[in-house]
C-alpha cells in the first residue's frame, strides 16, 4: 500500500530484496509506532533491533543519496533514521537500547552523524579473512579502518564476528590462532558486546567444542594464555589422544598460512590450501589418536567425531 516507503532502485520502488526509504517521514512515523508497540508488549525487553535486511538494495532516491553524499557512507541515512526513532523510544522506555547493524554496505562509519546514547551499533566482520588477525593482518586493513572509526563515535559498540565455515561445517577451518588476538583487538577498540557466530547447526563440525570452550574462556577473560587453554581442553576432553590432536591442529593451521589464503567464513572446499601430503599426515595423526584411546569408548567416540 505504500511503495514510496521502500527503496527506489533503478527508477522503481522495490520491496523484495530491498531496503526501506530511510528519509521517508511517513514510513519513519509508522516504524516508530511499531517499535513503541513492540516494546509496550514486551516490558522485560532491554534492547530492540532496527536493522537493514540481510542483502543490499539501498534506496537510490534523491533525498537518501543526498545524505549518503554528505555522510560519505550508507550508514549515514540508516543512523539518522535509527537515531530519530531512538529519541522517541527514550521518552517512554529510557532503559531500552536501540540496536542497528554496521554490515556490508553500511559498515563504514559516517562523517557527521553520531549514534545517540541509547543506540547500539553492531559492526559485522563477514568480509574478513579469518586466518589473519583483524588487528595486524594485511588482508583485514579495511575492516580495521572501519572499527577504529566506529570506536571513536559509538557510545557502545557491539561486534558480530564469525568463527566457522558456513558453507561446510565439516571441513577444516584454520582460524584457531586468530581467535584470542581478535577478541583482544575488540577490547582495545572499546567493544562492549561480542557475538561469536559458530556452528549452531552442526554438532560434528571442525573441533566445535574446542572452539566454543576457548572462545567462552577468552570472552570471560581475554588476557588468558590461549595456548594453555587449548592444551587444557585437549588433555581434559581427549585424554591420551591430546598430543596427536594438537599436532593435527598445528598441521592444519600451518597449511592455511602457507599459501597466503584468504579464509572467508564461506569456503566451499579446501582445494585452495590443503595438499595430499597434508591429508595423508592428518590421517596418520588420527590413527595415532585413535590408538591412544583404544579401550575407552567415550574418548574413542570423541576422537572419531573429530576425524570426520
Amino acid at each position: 500500500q505504500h511503495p514510496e516507503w521502500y527503496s527506489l532502485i533503478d527508477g522503481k520502488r522495490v520491496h523484495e530484496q530491498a531496503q526501506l526509504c530511510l528519509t521517508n517521514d511517513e514510513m519513519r512515523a509508522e516504524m516508530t509506532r511499531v517499535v513503541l508497540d513492540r516494546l509496550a508488549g514486551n516490558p522485560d525487553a532491554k534492547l530492540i533491533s532496527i536493522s537493514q535486511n540481510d542483502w543490499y538494495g539501498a534506496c537510490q532516491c534523491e533525498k537518501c543519496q543526498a545524505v549518503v553524499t554528505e555522510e560519505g557512507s550508507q550508514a549515514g541515512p540508516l543512523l539518522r533514521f535509527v537515531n530519530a526513532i531512538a529519541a522517541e523510544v527514550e521518552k517512554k522506555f529510557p532503559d531500552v537500547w536501540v540496536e542497528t547493524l554496521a554490515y556490508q554496505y553500511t559498515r563504514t562509519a559516517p562523517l557527521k552523524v553520531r549514534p545517540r546514547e541509547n543506540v547500539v551499533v553492531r559492526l559485522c566482520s563477514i568480509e574478513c579473512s579469518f586466518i589473519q588477525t583483524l588487528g595486524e593482518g594485511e588482508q583485514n586493513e579495511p575492516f580495521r579502518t572501519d572499527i577504529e572509526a566506529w570506536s571513536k563515535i559509538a557510545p557502545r559498540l557491539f561486534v558480530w564476528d564469525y568463527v566457522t565455515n558456513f558453507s561446510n561445517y565439516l571441513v577444516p577451518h584454520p582460524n584457531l590462532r586468530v581467535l584470542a588476538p581478535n577478541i583482544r583487538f575488540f577490547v582495545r577498540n572499546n567493544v562492549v558486546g561480542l557475538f561469536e557466530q559458530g556452528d549452531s547447526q552442526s554438532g560434528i563440525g571442525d573441533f566445535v567444542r574446542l572452539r566454543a570452550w576457548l572462545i567462552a574462556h577468552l570472552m570471560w577473560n581475554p588476557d588468558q594464555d590461549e595456548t594453555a587453554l587449548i592444551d587444557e581442553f585437549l588433555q581434559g576432553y581427549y585424554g591420551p589422544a591430546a598430543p596427536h590432536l594438537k599436532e593435527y591442529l598445528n598441521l592444519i593451521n600451518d597449511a592455511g598460512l602457507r599459501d597466503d589464503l584468504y579464509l572467508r567464513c564461506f569456503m566451499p572446499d579446501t582445494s585452495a590450501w590443503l595438499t595430499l601430503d597434508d591429508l595423508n599426515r592428518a590421517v596418520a595423526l588420527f590413527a595415532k589418536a585413535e590408538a591412544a584411546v583404544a579401550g575407552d569408548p567415550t574418548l574413542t567416540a570423541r576422537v572419531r567425531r573429530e576425524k570426520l
Side-chain angles (χ1 to χ4, degrees):
Q1 293 127 342
H2 298 277
E4 70 278 7
W5 290 4
Y6 295 88
S7 295
L8 181 72
I9 299 176
D10 297 332
K12 296 182 180 180
R13 294 286 176 178
V14 180
H15 70 276
E16 294 179 343
Q17 298 290 304
Q19 306 291 340
L20 297 172
C21 179
L22 298 171
T23 56
N24 185 290
D25 293 336
E26 288 186 354
M27 186 276 292
R28 189 183 68 219
E30 175 64 8
M31 177 69 84
T32 302
R33 183 192 68 77
V34 170
V35 166
L36 295 177
D37 284 353
R38 292 275 180 93
L39 290 171
N42 293 273
D44 295 329
K46 296 301 177 188
L47 186 145
I48 188 166
S49 179
I50 305 175
S51 298
Q52 67 210 64
N53 288 320
D54 195 0
W55 46 67
Y56 289 83
C59 185
Q60 300 169 357
C61 80
E62 187 174 332
K63 286 181 67 178
C64 284
Q65 288 306 302
V67 178
V68 171
T69 299
E70 184 179 353
E71 295 283 2
S73 169
Q74 289 281 0
L78 175 64
L79 191 53
R80 291 188 187 187
F81 174 78
V82 171
N83 273 351
I85 298 175
E88 299 304 311
V89 168
E90 188 176 42
K91 295 175 183 177
K92 292 188 176 182
F93 305 97
D95 297 329
V96 170
W97 290 354
V98 179
E99 181 212 53
T100 195
L101 297 175
Y103 175 49
Q104 295 187 328
Y105 69 95
T106 61
R107 202 183 77 181
T108 299
L111 298 175
K112 297 182 178 180
V113 65
R114 299 294 181 256
R116 287 177 51 86
E117 280 297 317
N118 62 332
V119 170
V120 172
V121 173
R122 191 190 294 266
L123 179 65
C124 304
S125 63
I126 196 166
E127 300 90 353
C128 292
S129 173
F130 297 100
I131 198 164
Q132 294 188 3
T133 62
L134 297 174
E136 288 82 29
E138 182 180 348
Q139 294 172 336
N140 294 318
E141 192 276 332
F143 180 82
R144 191 155 56 246
T145 298
D146 287 341
I147 193 172
E148 289 170 353
W150 279 111
S151 72
K152 293 174 182 176
I153 66 172
R156 48 192 58 85
L157 181 60
F158 283 21
V159 161
W160 186 320
D161 193 30
Y162 306 81
V163 296
T164 188
N165 176 14
F166 298 101
S167 293
N168 192 332
Y169 290 119
L170 287 175
V171 302
H173 189 62
N175 70 336
L176 194 61
R177 293 171 182 164
V178 307
L179 298 175
N182 285 354
I183 289 174
R184 296 181 192 121
F185 172 73
F186 296 142
V187 172
R188 290 197 303 273
N189 282 278
N190 305 317
V191 172
V192 296
L194 178 59
F195 172 41
E196 297 280 33
Q197 186 177 2
D199 310 58
S200 65
Q201 298 150 310
S202 172
I204 51 173
D206 177 40
F207 279 85
V208 172
R209 290 151 186 80
L210 167 61
R211 233 188 232 102
W213 191 90
L214 175 64
I215 290 169
H217 278 270
L218 290 168
M219 289 174 68
W220 183 257
N221 177 5
D223 295 325
Q224 293 183 84
D225 182 341
E226 61 268 33
T227 301
L229 289 173
I230 292 170
D231 287 344
E232 181 181 347
F233 183 87
L234 293 177
Q235 292 163 10
Y237 194 69
Y238 302 104
H244 310 296
L245 297 181
K246 183 176 182 179
E247 191 174 347
Y248 163 78
L249 290 168
N250 283 330
L251 164 71
I252 292 300
N253 284 271
D254 287 344
L257 289 169
R258 184 177 54 215
D259 296 319
D260 197 30
L261 172 70
Y262 198 103
L263 186 71
R264 297 291 307 277
C265 56
F266 293 93
M267 301 288 285
D269 54 55
T270 60
S271 60
W273 59 280
L274 266 186
T275 67
L276 179 59
D277 181 59
D278 295 328
L279 294 170
N280 284 333
R281 289 177 61 198
V283 169
L285 288 168
F286 269 103
K288 292 179 180 179
E290 286 186 281
V293 296
D296 186 320
T298 298
L299 297 183
T300 295
R302 292 173 180 175
V303 170
R304 285 174 59 81
R305 184 177 58 227
E306 305 305 349
K307 187 180 177 181
L308 283 172

